[in-house]
Amino acid sequence: MGQIEQARGKDSKLQALRRPPILAKIIGTGFGSGYFPLCPGTAGSALALLIWILMGEVIPLPYKEAFPIALEAFTIALILIFTVLGTWATAKLMPFWGDDPKRVTIDEMAGQWISLLAAPAFVYENRIWMALGALILFRFFDIVKPLGIRTLDRKTGAFWVMADDLLAGIYSMIILIIIGNIPGWVI
């Protein structure tokens, strides 16, 4: 066995011993949703939707109707915090899992929360329909990648892993706001 083969063998053994940081794995995989065997991106989006719905239930009932801004403020905080944490986690995981790994679903969660910004402005009973619409629209934009989303998806780097999903969330939010403001539509 030559020196090159021995060096390769040592490098692969060292790489096997190195593991991604656990906190980066927890955050990057969207609290484990990235390990879902089928459609991990959809699993991450569904988890984000569930977190958003539960967060809405935590807000005391009198404030739900009077101050939908409270739910929006919490949602914006989630978006900002998890975009920063997601970029950090993705940067830590990329050396182990490659560029834009499928297990990283925190980007889908942040994008899903952006699309959900359209929902709190509607009456409480209709928010669930808006939330389901947000999930469907966001997954459509995230999978099909029209209108510049694919351009962002092709860029390399941890921020760009997040950016295409953030733009998909923005497009979903805009469409939901337009649909929700059509006179006579009850969503």
mmCIF file of all heavy atoms in Angstrom, residues 59-97:
data_model
loop_
_atom_site.group_PDB
_atom_site.id
_atom_site.type_symbol
_atom_site.label_atom_id
_atom_site.label_comp_id
_atom_site.label_asym_id
_atom_site.label_seq_id
_atom_site.Cartn_x
_atom_site.Cartn_y
_atom_site.Cartn_z
ATOM 1 N N ILE A 59 -51.205 32.819 23.284
ATOM 2 C CA ILE A 59 -51.613 34.216 23.471
ATOM 3 C C ILE A 59 -53.005 34.215 24.110
ATOM 4 O O ILE A 59 -53.910 33.551 23.610
ATOM 5 C CB ILE A 59 -51.629 34.967 22.126
ATOM 6 C CG1 ILE A 59 -50.224 34.993 21.518
ATOM 7 C CG2 ILE A 59 -52.182 36.385 22.294
ATOM 8 C CD1 ILE A 59 -50.169 35.527 20.101
ATOM 9 N N PRO A 60 -53.201 34.922 25.213
ATOM 10 C CA PRO A 60 -54.503 34.923 25.888
ATOM 11 C C PRO A 60 -55.636 35.332 24.942
ATOM 12 O O PRO A 60 -55.476 36.217 24.103
ATOM 13 C CB PRO A 60 -54.328 35.954 27.009
ATOM 14 C CG PRO A 60 -52.855 36.036 27.222
ATOM 15 C CD PRO A 60 -52.228 35.748 25.888
ATOM 16 N N LEU A 61 -56.783 34.667 25.065
ATOM 17 C CA LEU A 61 -57.909 34.832 24.153
ATOM 18 C C LEU A 61 -58.337 36.278 23.921
ATOM 19 O O LEU A 61 -58.575 36.656 22.778
ATOM 20 C CB LEU A 61 -59.098 33.985 24.623
ATOM 21 C CG LEU A 61 -60.246 33.847 23.638
ATOM 22 C CD1 LEU A 61 -59.752 33.244 22.329
ATOM 23 C CD2 LEU A 61 -61.346 32.989 24.217
ATOM 24 N N PRO A 62 -58.455 37.140 24.937
ATOM 25 C CA PRO A 62 -58.894 38.509 24.655
ATOM 26 C C PRO A 62 -57.948 39.246 23.691
ATOM 27 O O PRO A 62 -58.368 40.110 22.949
ATOM 28 C CB PRO A 62 -58.891 39.194 26.022
ATOM 29 C CG PRO A 62 -58.945 38.093 27.009
ATOM 30 C CD PRO A 62 -58.288 36.914 26.367
ATOM 31 N N TYR A 63 -56.677 38.877 23.698
ATOM 32 C CA TYR A 63 -55.710 39.562 22.853
ATOM 33 C C TYR A 63 -55.700 39.040 21.430
ATOM 34 O O TYR A 63 -55.192 39.691 20.533
ATOM 35 C CB TYR A 63 -54.305 39.450 23.455
ATOM 36 C CG TYR A 63 -54.192 40.132 24.782
ATOM 37 C CD1 TYR A 63 -54.108 39.393 25.951
ATOM 38 C CD2 TYR A 63 -54.201 41.522 24.866
ATOM 39 C CE1 TYR A 63 -54.021 40.024 27.176
ATOM 40 C CE2 TYR A 63 -54.121 42.154 26.088
ATOM 41 C CZ TYR A 63 -54.030 41.405 27.245
ATOM 42 O OH TYR A 63 -53.943 42.031 28.459
ATOM 43 N N LYS A 64 -56.259 37.852 21.206
ATOM 44 C CA LYS A 64 -56.243 37.264 19.867
ATOM 45 C C LYS A 64 -57.010 38.119 18.879
ATOM 46 O O LYS A 64 -56.589 38.298 17.750
ATOM 47 C CB LYS A 64 -56.808 35.851 19.894
ATOM 48 C CG LYS A 64 -55.877 34.878 20.548
ATOM 49 C CD LYS A 64 -56.464 33.499 20.569
ATOM 50 C CE LYS A 64 -55.504 32.598 21.317
ATOM 51 N NZ LYS A 64 -55.993 31.273 21.485
ATOM 52 N N GLU A 65 -58.163 38.618 19.280
ATOM 53 C CA GLU A 65 -58.967 39.443 18.383
ATOM 54 C C GLU A 65 -58.538 40.910 18.424
ATOM 55 O O GLU A 65 -58.479 41.572 17.410
ATOM 56 C CB GLU A 65 -60.453 39.322 18.734
ATOM 57 C CG GLU A 65 -61.032 37.966 18.439
ATOM 58 C CD GLU A 65 -60.880 37.552 16.978
ATOM 59 O OE1 GLU A 65 -60.916 38.410 16.086
ATOM 60 O OE2 GLU A 65 -60.711 36.356 16.744
ATOM 61 N N ALA A 66 -58.251 41.395 19.610
ATOM 62 C CA ALA A 66 -57.917 42.812 19.748
ATOM 63 C C ALA A 66 -56.528 43.135 19.224
ATOM 64 O O ALA A 66 -56.297 44.211 18.675
ATOM 65 C CB ALA A 66 -58.031 43.222 21.212
ATOM 66 N N PHE A 67 -55.597 42.219 19.384
ATOM 67 C CA PHE A 67 -54.217 42.501 19.009
ATOM 68 C C PHE A 67 -53.593 41.366 18.197
ATOM 69 O O PHE A 67 -52.723 40.650 18.703
ATOM 70 C CB PHE A 67 -53.367 42.751 20.267
ATOM 71 C CG PHE A 67 -53.840 43.899 21.092
ATOM 72 C CD1 PHE A 67 -54.484 43.674 22.288
ATOM 73 C CD2 PHE A 67 -53.651 45.203 20.659
ATOM 74 C CE1 PHE A 67 -54.930 44.735 23.056
ATOM 75 C CE2 PHE A 67 -54.098 46.264 21.420
ATOM 76 C CZ PHE A 67 -54.741 46.040 22.620
ATOM 77 N N PRO A 68 -54.025 41.191 16.933
ATOM 78 C CA PRO A 68 -53.374 40.162 16.125
ATOM 79 C C PRO A 68 -51.899 40.493 15.900
ATOM 80 O O PRO A 68 -51.112 39.644 15.513
ATOM 81 C CB PRO A 68 -54.160 40.168 14.815
ATOM 82 C CG PRO A 68 -54.819 41.497 14.755
ATOM 83 C CD PRO A 68 -55.050 41.902 16.192
ATOM 84 N N ILE A 69 -51.543 41.742 16.206
ATOM 85 C CA ILE A 69 -50.156 42.166 16.050
ATOM 86 C C ILE A 69 -49.232 41.379 16.987
ATOM 87 O O ILE A 69 -48.058 41.186 16.682
ATOM 88 C CB ILE A 69 -50.015 43.696 16.278
ATOM 89 C CG1 ILE A 69 -48.661 44.198 15.797
ATOM 90 C CG2 ILE A 69 -50.210 44.068 17.718
ATOM 91 C CD1 ILE A 69 -48.594 44.427 14.342
ATOM 92 N N ALA A 70 -49.769 40.877 18.105
ATOM 93 C CA ALA A 70 -48.947 40.095 19.032
ATOM 94 C C ALA A 70 -48.454 38.824 18.356
ATOM 95 O O ALA A 70 -47.280 38.475 18.457
ATOM 96 C CB ALA A 70 -49.742 39.755 20.288
ATOM 97 N N LEU A 71 -49.341 38.142 17.629
ATOM 98 C CA LEU A 71 -48.937 36.938 16.912
ATOM 99 C C LEU A 71 -47.959 37.278 15.793
ATOM 100 O O LEU A 71 -46.995 36.549 15.564
ATOM 101 C CB LEU A 71 -50.162 36.207 16.356
ATOM 102 C CG LEU A 71 -49.917 34.861 15.688
ATOM 103 C CD1 LEU A 71 -49.136 33.923 16.599
ATOM 104 C CD2 LEU A 71 -51.232 34.235 15.261
ATOM 105 N N GLU A 72 -48.188 38.385 15.116
ATOM 106 C CA GLU A 72 -47.247 38.817 14.076
ATOM 107 C C GLU A 72 -45.879 39.129 14.673
ATOM 108 O O GLU A 72 -44.850 38.792 14.084
ATOM 109 C CB GLU A 72 -47.782 40.039 13.329
ATOM 110 C CG GLU A 72 -48.755 39.687 12.247
ATOM 111 C CD GLU A 72 -49.113 40.871 11.377
ATOM 112 O OE1 GLU A 72 -48.539 41.970 11.546
ATOM 113 O OE2 GLU A 72 -49.984 40.691 10.524
ATOM 114 N N ALA A 73 -45.860 39.785 15.827
ATOM 115 C CA ALA A 73 -44.582 40.121 16.469
ATOM 116 C C ALA A 73 -43.817 38.865 16.851
ATOM 117 O O ALA A 73 -42.600 38.776 16.620
ATOM 118 C CB ALA A 73 -44.827 40.994 17.705
ATOM 119 N N PHE A 74 -44.521 37.875 17.401
ATOM 120 C CA PHE A 74 -43.858 36.610 17.731
ATOM 121 C C PHE A 74 -43.340 35.918 16.469
ATOM 122 O O PHE A 74 -42.263 35.340 16.468
ATOM 123 C CB PHE A 74 -44.805 35.678 18.490
ATOM 124 C CG PHE A 74 -45.027 36.069 19.916
ATOM 125 C CD1 PHE A 74 -46.307 36.290 20.397
ATOM 126 C CD2 PHE A 74 -43.959 36.213 20.794
ATOM 127 C CE1 PHE A 74 -46.524 36.652 21.719
ATOM 128 C CE2 PHE A 74 -44.157 36.570 22.122
ATOM 129 C CZ PHE A 74 -45.443 36.794 22.580
ATOM 130 N N THR A 75 -44.131 35.978 15.407
ATOM 131 C CA THR A 75 -43.730 35.342 14.146
ATOM 132 C C THR A 75 -42.494 36.024 13.570
ATOM 133 O O THR A 75 -41.563 35.354 13.115
ATOM 134 C CB THR A 75 -44.894 35.367 13.142
ATOM 135 O OG1 THR A 75 -46.053 34.779 13.750
ATOM 136 C CG2 THR A 75 -44.556 34.597 11.884
ATOM 137 N N ILE A 76 -42.469 37.339 13.588
ATOM 138 C CA ILE A 76 -41.294 38.075 13.094
ATOM 139 C C ILE A 76 -40.064 37.733 13.925
ATOM 140 O O ILE A 76 -38.970 37.546 13.386
ATOM 141 C CB ILE A 76 -41.571 39.594 13.080
ATOM 142 C CG1 ILE A 76 -42.589 39.928 11.976
ATOM 143 C CG2 ILE A 76 -40.281 40.392 12.877
ATOM 144 C CD1 ILE A 76 -43.137 41.343 12.034
ATOM 145 N N ALA A 77 -40.250 37.625 15.232
ATOM 146 C CA ALA A 77 -39.125 37.246 16.105
ATOM 147 C C ALA A 77 -38.609 35.859 15.730
ATOM 148 O O ALA A 77 -37.392 35.645 15.640
ATOM 149 C CB ALA A 77 -39.557 37.285 17.565
ATOM 150 N N LEU A 78 -39.509 34.898 15.478
ATOM 151 C CA LEU A 78 -39.090 33.558 15.060
ATOM 152 C C LEU A 78 -38.298 33.617 13.751
ATOM 153 O O LEU A 78 -37.263 32.959 13.612
ATOM 154 C CB LEU A 78 -40.304 32.649 14.868
ATOM 155 C CG LEU A 78 -40.969 32.085 16.112
ATOM 156 C CD1 LEU A 78 -42.232 31.315 15.728
ATOM 157 C CD2 LEU A 78 -40.026 31.186 16.876
ATOM 158 N N ILE A 79 -38.801 34.391 12.806
ATOM 159 C CA ILE A 79 -38.141 34.506 11.496
ATOM 160 C C ILE A 79 -36.725 35.047 11.659
ATOM 161 O O ILE A 79 -35.764 34.481 11.125
ATOM 162 C CB ILE A 79 -38.955 35.404 10.542
ATOM 163 C CG1 ILE A 79 -40.289 34.746 10.205
ATOM 164 C CG2 ILE A 79 -38.155 35.715 9.271
ATOM 165 C CD1 ILE A 79 -41.318 35.696 9.610
ATOM 166 N N LEU A 80 -36.591 36.132 12.385
ATOM 167 C CA LEU A 80 -35.277 36.753 12.549
ATOM 168 C C LEU A 80 -34.307 35.845 13.306
ATOM 169 O O LEU A 80 -33.168 35.643 12.880
ATOM 170 C CB LEU A 80 -35.409 38.103 13.260
ATOM 171 C CG LEU A 80 -36.165 39.184 12.486
ATOM 172 C CD1 LEU A 80 -36.359 40.414 13.358
ATOM 173 C CD2 LEU A 80 -35.440 39.535 11.195
ATOM 174 N N ILE A 81 -34.765 35.292 14.411
ATOM 175 C CA ILE A 81 -33.899 34.447 15.236
ATOM 176 C C ILE A 81 -33.471 33.201 14.468
ATOM 177 O O ILE A 81 -32.287 32.849 14.430
ATOM 178 C CB ILE A 81 -34.605 34.069 16.561
ATOM 179 C CG1 ILE A 81 -34.731 35.312 17.450
ATOM 180 C CG2 ILE A 81 -33.870 32.946 17.276
ATOM 181 C CD1 ILE A 81 -35.685 35.151 18.616
ATOM 182 N N PHE A 82 -34.418 32.538 13.824
ATOM 183 C CA PHE A 82 -34.087 31.286 13.160
ATOM 184 C C PHE A 82 -33.411 31.479 11.807
ATOM 185 O O PHE A 82 -32.752 30.558 11.322
ATOM 186 C CB PHE A 82 -35.302 30.365 13.088
ATOM 187 C CG PHE A 82 -35.551 29.693 14.404
ATOM 188 C CD1 PHE A 82 -36.464 30.213 15.310
ATOM 189 C CD2 PHE A 82 -34.825 28.568 14.771
ATOM 190 C CE1 PHE A 82 -36.672 29.612 16.531
ATOM 191 C CE2 PHE A 82 -35.025 27.959 15.996
ATOM 192 C CZ PHE A 82 -35.942 28.480 16.883
ATOM 193 N N THR A 83 -33.527 32.653 11.216
ATOM 194 C CA THR A 83 -32.733 32.915 10.014
ATOM 195 C C THR A 83 -31.261 33.037 10.400
ATOM 196 O O THR A 83 -30.387 32.458 9.745
ATOM 197 C CB THR A 83 -33.219 34.188 9.293
ATOM 198 O OG1 THR A 83 -34.565 33.974 8.845
ATOM 199 C CG2 THR A 83 -32.342 34.517 8.103
ATOM 200 N N VAL A 84 -30.989 33.742 11.470
ATOM 201 C CA VAL A 84 -29.604 33.871 11.946
ATOM 202 C C VAL A 84 -29.078 32.516 12.427
ATOM 203 O O VAL A 84 -27.989 32.073 12.033
ATOM 204 C CB VAL A 84 -29.506 34.940 13.057
ATOM 205 C CG1 VAL A 84 -28.128 34.927 13.705
ATOM 206 C CG2 VAL A 84 -29.822 36.324 12.499
ATOM 207 N N LEU A 85 -29.841 31.839 13.283
ATOM 208 C CA LEU A 85 -29.407 30.535 13.785
ATOM 209 C C LEU A 85 -29.300 29.501 12.667
ATOM 210 O O LEU A 85 -28.392 28.669 12.662
ATOM 211 C CB LEU A 85 -30.363 30.025 14.867
ATOM 212 C CG LEU A 85 -30.314 30.743 16.210
ATOM 213 C CD1 LEU A 85 -31.397 30.200 17.138
ATOM 214 C CD2 LEU A 85 -28.946 30.612 16.846
ATOM 215 N N GLY A 86 -30.226 29.561 11.719
ATOM 216 C CA GLY A 86 -30.200 28.627 10.596
ATOM 217 C C GLY A 86 -28.995 28.830 9.705
ATOM 218 O O GLY A 86 -28.392 27.860 9.229
ATOM 219 N N THR A 87 -28.624 30.079 9.477
ATOM 220 C CA THR A 87 -27.433 30.365 8.681
ATOM 221 C C THR A 87 -26.197 29.843 9.405
ATOM 222 O O THR A 87 -25.329 29.207 8.786
ATOM 223 C CB THR A 87 -27.314 31.877 8.412
ATOM 224 O OG1 THR A 87 -28.510 32.321 7.743
ATOM 225 C CG2 THR A 87 -26.110 32.199 7.546
ATOM 226 N N TRP A 88 -26.121 30.074 10.706
ATOM 227 C CA TRP A 88 -24.990 29.571 11.495
ATOM 228 C C TRP A 88 -24.941 28.041 11.454
ATOM 229 O O TRP A 88 -23.887 27.448 11.202
ATOM 230 C CB TRP A 88 -25.109 30.065 12.943
ATOM 231 C CG TRP A 88 -24.151 29.372 13.859
ATOM 232 C CD1 TRP A 88 -22.824 29.656 14.056
ATOM 233 C CD2 TRP A 88 -24.438 28.234 14.694
ATOM 234 N NE1 TRP A 88 -22.282 28.781 14.963
ATOM 235 C CE2 TRP A 88 -23.248 27.894 15.373
ATOM 236 C CE3 TRP A 88 -25.591 27.490 14.936
ATOM 237 C CZ2 TRP A 88 -23.179 26.838 16.269
ATOM 238 C CZ3 TRP A 88 -25.517 26.430 15.828
ATOM 239 C CH2 TRP A 88 -24.315 26.115 16.489
ATOM 240 N N ALA A 89 -26.084 27.392 11.716
ATOM 241 C CA ALA A 89 -26.131 25.930 11.760
ATOM 242 C C ALA A 89 -25.777 25.331 10.399
ATOM 243 O O ALA A 89 -25.027 24.357 10.324
ATOM 244 C CB ALA A 89 -27.511 25.458 12.206
ATOM 245 N N THR A 90 -26.288 25.917 9.338
ATOM 246 C CA THR A 90 -25.995 25.408 7.996
ATOM 247 C C THR A 90 -24.513 25.524 7.697
ATOM 248 O O THR A 90 -23.918 24.599 7.130
ATOM 249 C CB THR A 90 -26.827 26.174 6.951
ATOM 250 O OG1 THR A 90 -28.217 26.027 7.275
ATOM 251 C CG2 THR A 90 -26.589 25.635 5.559
ATOM 252 N N ALA A 91 -23.910 26.637 8.078
ATOM 253 C CA ALA A 91 -22.464 26.812 7.860
ATOM 254 C C ALA A 91 -21.674 25.744 8.613
ATOM 255 O O ALA A 91 -20.672 25.234 8.107
ATOM 256 C CB ALA A 91 -22.025 28.208 8.291
ATOM 257 N N LYS A 92 -22.113 25.391 9.801
ATOM 258 C CA LYS A 92 -21.435 24.353 10.586
ATOM 259 C C LYS A 92 -21.646 22.957 9.993
ATOM 260 O O LYS A 92 -20.774 22.098 10.104
ATOM 261 C CB LYS A 92 -21.935 24.360 12.042
ATOM 262 C CG LYS A 92 -21.562 25.593 12.816
ATOM 263 C CD LYS A 92 -20.080 25.604 13.090
ATOM 264 C CE LYS A 92 -19.709 26.749 13.995
ATOM 265 N NZ LYS A 92 -18.269 26.869 14.150
ATOM 266 N N LEU A 93 -22.797 22.718 9.372
ATOM 267 C CA LEU A 93 -23.127 21.389 8.858
ATOM 268 C C LEU A 93 -22.629 21.141 7.438
ATOM 269 O O LEU A 93 -22.427 19.985 7.052
ATOM 270 C CB LEU A 93 -24.642 21.181 8.919
ATOM 271 C CG LEU A 93 -25.235 21.145 10.323
ATOM 272 C CD1 LEU A 93 -26.755 21.167 10.260
ATOM 273 C CD2 LEU A 93 -24.737 19.944 11.096
ATOM 274 N N MET A 94 -22.426 22.196 6.667
ATOM 275 C CA MET A 94 -22.014 22.028 5.269
ATOM 276 C C MET A 94 -20.712 21.240 5.094
ATOM 277 O O MET A 94 -20.645 20.417 4.175
ATOM 278 C CB MET A 94 -21.945 23.387 4.567
ATOM 279 C CG MET A 94 -23.316 23.945 4.243
ATOM 280 S SD MET A 94 -23.307 25.630 3.608
ATOM 281 C CE MET A 94 -22.564 25.386 2.016
ATOM 282 N N PRO A 95 -19.709 21.392 5.930
ATOM 283 C CA PRO A 95 -18.504 20.574 5.750
ATOM 284 C C PRO A 95 -18.757 19.066 5.925
ATOM 285 O O PRO A 95 -18.028 18.251 5.380
ATOM 286 C CB PRO A 95 -17.553 21.073 6.845
ATOM 287 C CG PRO A 95 -18.029 22.436 7.184
ATOM 288 C CD PRO A 95 -19.515 22.417 6.965
ATOM 289 N N PHE A 96 -19.798 18.711 6.642
ATOM 290 C CA PHE A 96 -20.104 17.308 6.887
ATOM 291 C C PHE A 96 -21.130 16.764 5.894
ATOM 292 O O PHE A 96 -21.053 15.610 5.497
ATOM 293 C CB PHE A 96 -20.654 17.119 8.311
ATOM 294 C CG PHE A 96 -19.674 17.504 9.368
ATOM 295 C CD1 PHE A 96 -19.683 18.783 9.917
ATOM 296 C CD2 PHE A 96 -18.726 16.593 9.819
ATOM 297 C CE1 PHE A 96 -18.774 19.138 10.893
ATOM 298 C CE2 PHE A 96 -17.821 16.935 10.797
ATOM 299 C CZ PHE A 96 -17.835 18.216 11.335
ATOM 300 N N TRP A 97 -22.107 17.585 5.524
ATOM 301 C CA TRP A 97 -23.237 17.120 4.727
ATOM 302 C C TRP A 97 -23.270 17.690 3.315
ATOM 303 O O TRP A 97 -24.147 17.351 2.540
ATOM 304 C CB TRP A 97 -24.547 17.445 5.437
ATOM 305 C CG TRP A 97 -24.732 16.715 6.735
ATOM 306 C CD1 TRP A 97 -24.005 15.651 7.207
ATOM 307 C CD2 TRP A 97 -25.711 16.991 7.732
ATOM 308 N NE1 TRP A 97 -24.475 15.253 8.422
ATOM 309 C CE2 TRP A 97 -25.526 16.058 8.784
ATOM 310 C CE3 TRP A 97 -26.726 17.933 7.850
ATOM 311 C CZ2 TRP A 97 -26.326 16.032 9.908
ATOM 312 C CZ3 TRP A 97 -27.516 17.914 8.979
ATOM 313 C CH2 TRP A 97 -27.314 16.973 9.995
#
